[in-house]
Amino acid sequence: MSITFHSDGSIAHLTNGTISYVIELLDHTYLLHRYFSQAIRAWHGTGVTLPSKRSYTTEYADGTQNLYFDALPFEYPTPGRGDYRLPALTAEGPSGAAVVDLKFCSWQVLPQKPTVPGLPMTFSAPDESETLEIVCSDPVAGIKVHLYYTIFRDLNIITRHQRMENTGNTAIRLRNVQSLSLELPARDYELLTLYGCHAKEANQSRALLHQGVQRIGSCYGSSSPRHQPFFALLQPGTAEQTGEVYGFQLIYSGNFSAAVEKDTFGQVRAQIGLNPDTFTWTLEPGKAFDTPEAVLNYSTNGLNGMRQGFHKLIRNHIMPPRWRDAQRPVLLNSWEAMYYDVNLDKIETQAQLAKELGIELFVLDDGWFRAGNDSRSSMGDWTCNQNKLPGGIDRVASIVHAKGLTFGLWFEPEAVSPNSQLYRTHPDWIVHVPSYAPVKGRHEYLLDLGRAEVRQYLLDMLHGYLAGGQIDYIKWDMNRPLTDVVSSALPPERQGEAAHRYILGLYAVLDEITRCYPDVLFEGCSSGGARFDAGMLHYFPQNWTSDNTDACDRVTIQSGFDLLYPQSAMGAHVSITPNHQTGRSTTLDTRYQVCRLYNLGYELDLTLCTPEERDEIARQIAAYKAQRSWLMTGTLFHSQSSDQNCTAWSVVSPDQTQCMMIVFQKLYNPLASCARFALCSLDPASDYRDTATGKVYGGDELMQIGLTVPLVKHDFTTFCFHLVKI
């Protein structure tokens, strides 16, 4: 791994022996992007587009013939000086004009990666990464920009973030700050994004990139279920195992923008960062602003290569280290068994049955603090309803712990009910626009986390529950988007900062509470997957994937999310049939098989299960426990097939001694041939035994030819192949 500079100081080359990233200085003034792909020994000017005559444009400053700003591959482009494509930084300086002309000052290799104050970021030991700092400035605008590039020793990944400093005497108004901008060669690309809605998150969209700007984003106040803060540019025809992929991801949980522009001449510029539609920031003299960190992931091994790059980064460099390889407990969540109508008898009965079946964690969901059995009251007060639960949460925890289970509790700390003591006492604590009636979502408002007193109130409340050590797990929910985004803590001219300050406030609360209670397992949730992002995983080692627990839909949802997130980060629960969200009926085995490669849980009323079903659940849990240590730390693959009716995914243990492949058949099709799926990452020189049939196959045979799915005349059927190295 190395970051080197050309002898004349005009080229910086970042490489780890697998990938290379090259930056060139034009006239020792402007930073140009020259290369990002497979590793090269050095760059000698290859691949540069030759200057050619264009009309209706502006001349380059030194008068070089046929050289124009809107043809240059800028490393961090700015507007107003002749580049008319997407800018990465837009700021209003002393003149009021949105013109920034950044010029190179210096570059150096840092002894350690700088922190991003108040924001989640990747971390690494000194020997695991190197960081390049480039400083550019515009003295006229009074702005200095530090660009940080971190390359990891064992990953095809570079992370990027920027720090803006006001070096002038007057305030600067930041209007657009992107965390990453990348220029790519003029050729055909496919654009891959993940879109969705509540209960149908992370659907894959894939289309040929065309001229113009293609953009996704969120203005919901969270990363949202509508689009993941991610996109990828693919070589056309890229499959699971083959093809070139550039993946982009933002380590941030609020409003974002991701855009790709293909200009008239075919040049491609890709960016990801804060959403300029919902962001402005007043940067006072002497102050600095840091962008969220962004991830640039390169793969020549198709979508699986990108998938595994993101998984390794998140598991090894983003998740809390305490939980990186820790086994997650099999849990029972009370929601679909009780909804809001909770009581001690129900809890004790469910906990007893859970213990008998091998479940390890009982989670009490919503309802424990409500005045009634609905969502219309009490949010924000967080006082246990003693009429429902005499003795309070301590009593519930003691009942659960007495059964030999750990205990978890549901919170939605960011919300407040209009019918609550907190709101009656502090109506100004919510996010709201003066003179407008505040908008409700799920019968609740949102607290303004940009206010210090609000954050302190939440911390005091959470410490009050967690300090006694009775709670082993927290499910942190957030069930509505932001509206009326005005903070009473800010003057009118700075309200463009409110949405970002809300997220900074959230991170501040999460940082303190997770540092104080490192052994508490925190799971993020936002009506399911509405805030499932790498920023939240910096504090919470797992996230509730979707409120939709239907096995058929979960195959699509999990297949989208696991493009980015490792299996240990994703909660997957077996629920009742017909499913509460879709009404679809599937077998208990199918529901389990769809969950078993992720964090397994159950979300149903165990008293309604037949003795035979409870016996089957006990067998499922025993099998899962026997394999979860390697299933959660192994490498996740998807297998390619022309049969769109079947989906196959597998996990291979770190030592390649075990592999488990699950195949989901959506509908029985009498006209289709049997689907065949090749496995990945086995030892080609070794043999593997199928534990169900006893048949032996060569590792090379399994990877080159694959296994054939049996012909079964049932819809929504799963097949499991567990292979063990001989």
Side-chain angles (χ1 to χ4, degrees):
M1 184 171 61
S2 65
I3 299 176
T4 57
F5 305 98
H6 193 274
S7 58
D8 65 1
S10 65
I11 298 168
H13 180 194
L14 296 79
T15 185
N16 58 10
T18 305
I19 58 172
S20 285
Y21 193 106
V22 177
I23 303 166
E24 183 186 24
L25 274 177
L26 175 64
D27 297 330
H28 288 271
T29 302
Y30 293 109
L31 293 168
L32 303 184
H33 178 79
R34 288 308 189 191
Y35 181 81
F36 177 56
S37 189
Q38 297 182 69
I40 55 176
R41 288 182 291 111
W43 185 76
H44 299 92
T46 53
V48 175
T49 302
L50 299 177
S52 60
K53 176 67 176 175
R54 294 185 184 181
S55 298
Y56 200 68
T57 187
T58 56
E59 298 174 358
Y60 179 60
D62 74 347
T64 301
Q65 187 173 7
N66 299 334
L67 189 62
Y68 313 101
F69 266 60
D70 60 355
L72 292 173
F74 286 107
E75 191 63 38
Y76 201 66
T78 56
R81 299 288 285 171
D83 184 353
Y84 301 97
R85 296 162 294 170
L86 290 170
L89 169 64
T90 306
E92 297 173 2
S95 69
V99 175
V100 178
D101 190 12
L102 290 177
K103 295 181 179 179
F104 174 80
C105 296
S106 65
W107 51 21
Q108 64 173 329
V109 179
L110 298 179
Q112 61 183 27
K113 181 180 178 180
T115 59
V116 186
L119 287 164
M121 65 178 296
T122 56
F123 58 86
S124 59
D127 63 338
E128 293 178 327
S129 66
E130 286 186 344
T131 297
L132 171 67
E133 178 191 41
I134 306 177
V135 180
C136 302
S137 72
D138 180 350
V140 175
I143 191 168
K144 180 182 288 186
V145 178
H146 301 252
L147 298 96
Y148 299 102
Y149 302 72
T150 298
I151 185 168
F152 292 82
R153 179 185 62 194
D154 58 346
L155 296 171
N156 291 1
I157 278 176
I158 288 175
T159 62
R160 289 276 311 273
H161 75 279
Q162 283 70 235
R163 176 169 296 158
M164 287 77 180
E165 296 177 352
N166 185 339
T167 59
N169 298 316
T170 59
I172 295 172
R173 187 176 176 86
L174 302 176
R175 289 177 17 196
N176 169 38
V177 285
Q178 298 301 294
S179 297
L180 182 153
S181 186
L182 181 71
E183 308 280 326
L184 290 172
R187 67 185 195 206
D188 287 337
Y189 297 92
E190 291 180 328
L191 175 64
L192 171 66
T193 63
L194 297 175
Y195 73 96
C197 63
H198 171 249
K200 201 67 176 73
E201 299 90 343
N203 303 272
Q204 297 184 38
S205 171
R206 184 167 165 174
L208 190 67
L209 192 67
H210 57 76
Q211 257 76 15
V213 176
Q214 287 115 98
R215 181 184 177 208
I216 61 168
S218 170
C219 58
Y220 284 76
S222 66
S223 49
S224 91
R226 297 295 188 257
H227 294 285
Q228 270 287 300
F230 151 84
F231 67 96
L233 293 173
L234 320 176
Q235 175 186 352
T238 291
E240 296 291 351
Q241 284 291 96
T242 58
E244 188 177 39
V245 181
Y246 296 88
F248 304 77
Q249 187 178 26
L250 191 65
I251 307 176
Y252 186 65
S253 307
N255 296 336
F256 74 93
S257 172
V260 184
E261 180 174 7
K262 185 175 184 179
D263 72 9
T264 304
F265 301 94
Q267 299 174 121
V268 173
R269 176 174 290 172
Q271 296 179 347
I272 194 166
L274 296 175
N275 191 330
D277 296 340
T278 59
F279 170 85
T280 59
W281 192 275
T282 299
L283 190 60
E284 301 289 351
K287 299 295 184 180
F289 178 86
D290 290 89
T291 69
E293 192 172 24
V295 180
L296 180 54
N297 182 353
Y298 176 75
S299 167
T300 56
N301 296 316
L303 296 177
N304 276 333
M306 180 189 74
R307 175 181 284 114
Q308 288 140 29
F310 280 133
H311 288 195
K312 290 178 182 177
L313 181 78
I314 287 169
R315 182 184 289 131
N316 297 330
H317 302 285
I318 293 181
M319 276 185 180
R322 158 69 176 84
W323 293 99
R324 179 184 304 163
D325 297 321
Q327 290 189 0
R328 309 294 201 267
V330 180
L331 67 84
L332 175 68
N333 188 285
S334 71
W335 179 242
E336 291 192 10
M338 305 180 200
Y339 291 102
Y340 302 101
D341 188 12
V342 302
N343 62 55
L344 293 181
D345 288 341
K346 289 182 180 179
I347 291 169
E348 183 157 18
T349 299
Q350 296 290 334
Q352 178 61 40
L353 290 172
K355 177 62 177 177
E356 293 171 3
L357 300 182
I359 289 170
E360 299 158 309
L361 165 66
F362 176 83
V363 179
L364 179 59
D365 210 286
D366 200 349
W368 59 271
F369 59 94
R370 301 281 189 181
N373 291 329
D374 57 39
S375 61
R376 296 179 181 273
S377 72
S378 310
M379 185 75 74
D381 294 339
W382 301 110
T383 300
C384 184
N385 185 333
Q386 296 280 338
N387 293 323
K388 291 183 177 184
L389 304 172
I393 293 304
D394 285 346
R395 175 62 178 151
V396 176
S398 65
I399 290 172
V400 173
H401 287 151
K403 305 293 183 185
L405 303 175
T406 53
F407 173 64
L409 191 60
W410 178 94
F411 284 94
E412 192 178 349
E414 298 159 71
V416 60
S417 301
N419 183 14
S420 68
Q421 185 60 43
L422 178 66
Y423 181 69
R424 286 187 286 270
T425 305
H426 298 288
D428 59 322
W429 279 13
I430 67 167
V431 177
H432 71 288
V433 180
S435 301
Y436 283 86
V439 175
K440 298 176 187 174
R442 198 175 178 254
H443 314 299
E444 61 197 35
Y445 304 137
L446 287 175
L447 294 170
D448 181 2
L449 270 63
R451 296 181 60 145
E453 61 269 45
V454 172
R455 297 194 297 273
Q456 192 59 54
Y457 171 80
L458 295 181
L459 287 168
D460 290 345
M461 180 273 293
L462 291 165
H463 283 307
Y465 279 99
L466 291 169
Q470 289 281 74
I471 299 172
D472 308 290
Y473 163 104
I474 291 290
K475 182 177 180 181
W476 184 297
D477 212 340
M478 198 270 206
N479 281 306
R480 57 153 296 176
L482 269 71
T483 53
D484 307 316
V485 187
V486 168
S487 170
S488 56
L490 295 172
E493 68 272 14
R494 301 190 68 161
Q495 291 300 328
E497 303 175 17
H500 183 56
R501 288 189 181 277
Y502 180 97
I503 297 299
L504 294 177
L506 171 65
Y507 288 152
V509 172
L510 300 184
D511 181 67
E512 176 171 330
I513 212 71
T514 54
R515 280 191 295 105
C516 289
Y517 308 100
D519 293 329
V520 174
L521 175 58
F522 287 85
E523 177 169 289
C525 179
S526 181
S527 292
R531 200 164 61 186
F532 194 162
D533 55 65
M536 294 303 289
L537 290 176
H538 179 80
Y539 307 98
F540 299 164
Q542 62 190 57
N543 206 91
W544 179 225
T545 311
S546 176
D547 283 346
N548 185 348
T549 55
D550 172 70
C552 182
D553 284 349
R554 266 305 185 102
V555 170
T556 300
I557 295 168
Q558 292 168 185
S559 295
F561 276 128
D562 74 25
L563 274 172
L564 311 179
Y565 309 115
Q567 56 273 32
S568 62
M570 297 170 59
H573 293 181
V574 176
S575 60
I576 200 71
T577 193
N579 182 267
H580 284 199
Q581 290 79 37
T582 67
R584 186 180 288 119
S585 294
T586 54
T587 67
L588 182 55
D589 180 67
T590 290
R591 283 173 272 154
Y592 165 68
Q593 298 294 355
V594 168
C595 296
R596 74 181 301 182
L597 300 188
Y598 305 91
N599 288 330
L600 178 65
Y602 290 80
E603 192 146 352
L604 42 75
D605 187 345
L606 292 175
T607 67
L608 299 181
C609 296
T610 66
E612 292 77 17
E613 288 173 330
R614 289 201 289 269
D615 287 344
E616 185 174 350
I617 290 173
R619 289 192 294 271
Q620 291 172 353
I621 293 171
Y624 177 79
K625 288 180 178 178
Q627 298 154 345
R628 66 179 163 186
S629 60
W630 66 268
L631 285 175
M632 291 300 104
T633 58
T635 306
L636 179 70
F637 296 88
H638 279 247
S639 296
Q640 187 72 24
S641 174
S642 59
D643 185 353
Q644 300 302 309
N645 190 45
C646 288
T647 302
W649 61 106
S650 59
V651 172
V652 177
S653 64
D655 60 4
Q656 296 180 301
T657 61
Q658 296 195 72
C659 172
M660 183 173 291
M661 181 169 72
I662 307 294
V663 180
F664 176 80
Q665 174 183 280
K666 186 173 182 180
L667 300 174
Y668 168 66
N669 182 0
L671 297 179
S673 60
C674 295
R676 188 178 70 195
F677 293 97
L679 286 85
C680 306
S681 196
L682 302 178
D683 180 356
S686 297
D687 291 334
Y688 290 81
R689 177 179 288 108
D690 185 331
T691 59
T693 65
K695 291 184 178 179
V696 175
Y697 307 95
D700 53 350
E701 178 186 8
L702 290 167
M703 291 190 291
Q704 295 298 323
I705 302 173
L707 293 172
T708 301
V709 177
L711 186 64
V712 175
K713 297 181 180 180
H714 292 292
D715 297 337
F716 316 124
T717 299
T718 53
F719 309 92
C720 176
F721 301 91
H722 179 208
L723 301 160
V724 177
K725 186 176 181 179
I726 298 174

